[in-house]
Amino acid sequence: MPKVGVLTGGGDCPGLNAVIRGIVKSAEAKYGWQVIGIEDSFQGLILPGKTREMDTYKIRGILPQGGTILHSSNRANPFEYSEEVDGKTVVHDVSDRLLERFKELGLEGLIAIGGDGTNRIAARLYDKGLPVVGVPKTIDNDLQATDVTFGFNTAVTTATDALDKLHTTAASHHRVIVMEVMGRYTGWIALESGLAGGADVILMPEIPFDIETVCNKVRHRAEKGAGFSIVVVAEGSKPKDGDVTIVEAGGKGKGMARLGGIGNKVGEHIAECTGMDVRVTVLGHLQRGGSPSAYDRILATRFGGKAMGLVAKGEFGRMVCLKGQTITSVPIHDAITDYKYVPLDSGLILTAEAIGICLGR
Ligand code: F6P
């Protein structure tokens, strides 16, 4: 039986296991391939002892499970791999070692499930001869080539649920509650959860905000008798005259910069300019955990089946994607050109402003 390797890279997200299941089930039922699970992202192809045979029995029950049974890492870039050599930590290119290991394992294809970082690595490995197919994953929904990524719907549901809960406590105490959500350099999670959760203010990276406008909105609501306000802030938001707030810089061997902290800054400003009682909630990794929604399970299963189909047909160097209602694929290089920002003329933004939500401008 021909063998295909499967790995999950980057931050985890609800629906990864559903993709793995879609691959294993279709490999077995339709294509007659053996699936080999590769652990800890690309590390499983760099270090020995990190692979396992997978079949329908071994993956039983994983469809509703969050996380990834293959584990993941966002620090496993083979082109900038950090390891100990002669007692010293070096960051170097081990991509040739990875290609060797791929051959030793007798694999004829690789399916890399990940976000922009993982697909960028997959594209570079494809250029070096690795037969790879990408599957887009991220709660941030920020990949250009696909209309939607699985995990996003679940993250929005989690954030909306949190907003419902924050609403009742904010109203009880006449407080302003600021909730910081993930999303990296895009505002999809903030905008959709803010709309679904009835936020009064939504701040997102696509619209650098004026803090005075935000304060005016909160003051205006207080004057009109609403003793509380709910402010949703995407982690990548920045003020008109400032920059994104970073917790930890990224770099060679370290992965991408970690964003976060803007929620506290916005909260401090609102407290100062309105004199109101303000509390800040950083939702953090709750957004990445838990069982995938029905929408994400279906999308992930369709992506898994499609990826396996591409492998079986020998159509490598592609990434599966959703266009409208159709699962299709694009060249993996086209998939990683830029982030998918929320378009400023999108219906979501127009609706938000039409119902009086302040977007900080
Ligand atoms: O890309 C997914 C994501 O959850 C972002 O929204 C967030 O900025 C980042 O990953 C957090 O990464 P880490 O798990 O390394 O803190």
Side-chain angles (χ1 to χ4, degrees):
M1 253 203 275
K3 288 195 232 171
V4 59
V6 179
L7 63 81
T8 49
D12 70 338
C13 123
L16 284 169
N17 287 327
V19 182
I20 295 170
R21 176 178 173 272
I23 293 167
V24 173
K25 286 207 157 215
S26 61
E28 235 172 75
K30 186 165 176 192
Y31 301 108
W33 280 57
Q34 165 74 61
V35 177
I36 305 293
I38 296 162
E39 291 169 10
D40 295 328
S41 183
F42 290 102
Q43 220 162 31
L45 284 174
I46 298 168
L47 305 176
K50 282 180 167 285
T51 56
R52 54 175 131 131
E53 286 192 357
M54 299 175 86
D55 59 37
T56 318
Y57 296 97
K58 291 189 185 129
I59 56 152
R60 185 162 281 166
I62 67 171
L63 178 62
Q65 274 176 28
T68 159
I69 58 165
L70 293 174
H71 308 288
S72 191
S73 166
N74 43 20
R75 300 200 170 181
N77 181 351
F79 296 98
E80 290 178 9
Y81 190 65
S82 172
E83 66 182 343
E84 292 266 307
V85 178
D86 300 331
K88 278 194 191 145
T89 304
V90 291
V91 177
H92 59 168
D93 183 345
V94 295
S95 55
D96 288 333
R97 202 203 294 174
L98 182 148
L99 293 174
E100 271 307 301
R101 181 94 191 104
F102 180 82
K103 273 194 211 139
E104 276 165 27
L105 289 165
L107 298 173
E108 289 182 33
L110 176 70
I111 299 175
I113 313 167
D116 59 330
T118 303
N119 279 291
R120 204 161 274 140
I121 294 167
R124 282 182 78 180
L125 290 170
Y126 175 67
D127 291 343
K128 291 193 75 164
L130 190 86
V132 64
V133 165
V135 176
K137 157 252 57 157
T138 168
I139 61 162
D140 304 331
N141 196 33
D142 62 353
L143 291 181
Q144 190 62 255
T146 183
D147 288 357
V148 188
T149 50
F150 65 87
F152 171 63
N153 181 271
T154 308
V156 168
T157 306
T158 300
T160 302
D161 187 39
L163 283 174
D164 288 347
K165 290 175 174 152
L166 292 174
H167 248 105
T168 58
T169 173
S172 303
H173 288 268
H174 311 292
R175 278 177 174 155
V176 177
I177 294 202
V178 177
M179 182 171 92
E180 181 183 302
V181 295
M182 286 183 166
R184 293 199 68 76
Y185 300 103
T186 67
W188 294 103
I189 298 178
L191 184 57
E192 292 213 359
S193 65
L195 273 167
D200 305 298
V201 178
I202 301 174
L203 303 179
M204 45 199 275
E206 290 84 349
I207 304 177
F209 62 87
D210 177 1
I211 194 69
E212 267 316 306
T213 309
V214 176
C215 291
N216 287 341
K217 170 73 180 179
V218 172
R219 268 195 228 105
H220 182 73
R221 276 179 53 80
E223 280 160 20
K224 291 276 173 199
F228 73 96
S229 283
I230 299 288
V231 180
V232 177
V233 187
E235 62 181 0
S237 307
K238 54 184 181 203
K240 258 170 41 181
D241 49 358
D243 227 325
V244 173
T245 312
I246 288 181
V247 182
E248 192 188 345
K252 237 183 156 191
K254 289 208 255 165
M256 294 202 267
R258 276 176 60 212
L259 311 185
I262 188 68
N264 277 311
K265 287 187 181 171
V266 167
E268 276 166 26
H269 273 288
I270 296 176
E272 239 172 66
C273 69
T274 64
M276 288 180 73
D277 204 13
V278 179
R279 295 291 186 271
V280 178
T281 295
V282 179
L283 204 54
H285 289 79
L286 276 175
Q287 293 157 97
R288 291 235 303 256
S291 182
S293 65
Y295 180 91
D296 282 338
R297 291 181 200 188
I298 294 167
L299 183 59
T301 301
R302 293 177 79 193
F303 276 175
K306 177 72 180 179
M308 190 55 230
L310 290 176
V311 168
K313 281 191 263 163
E315 289 183 28
F316 296 107
R318 303 192 69 79
M319 187 186 83
V320 304
C321 60
L322 177 73
K323 289 283 174 204
Q325 295 300 316
T326 308
I327 302 290
T328 177
S329 70
V330 288
I332 200 161
H333 277 284
D334 296 355
I336 52 175
T337 45
D338 197 9
Y339 288 116
K340 180 179 70 191
Y341 298 102
V342 180
L344 292 181
D345 59 355
S346 83
L348 291 173
I349 287 189
L350 299 180
T351 301
E353 288 191 322
I355 62 166
I357 296 175
C358 167
L359 300 182
R361 62 176 172 181

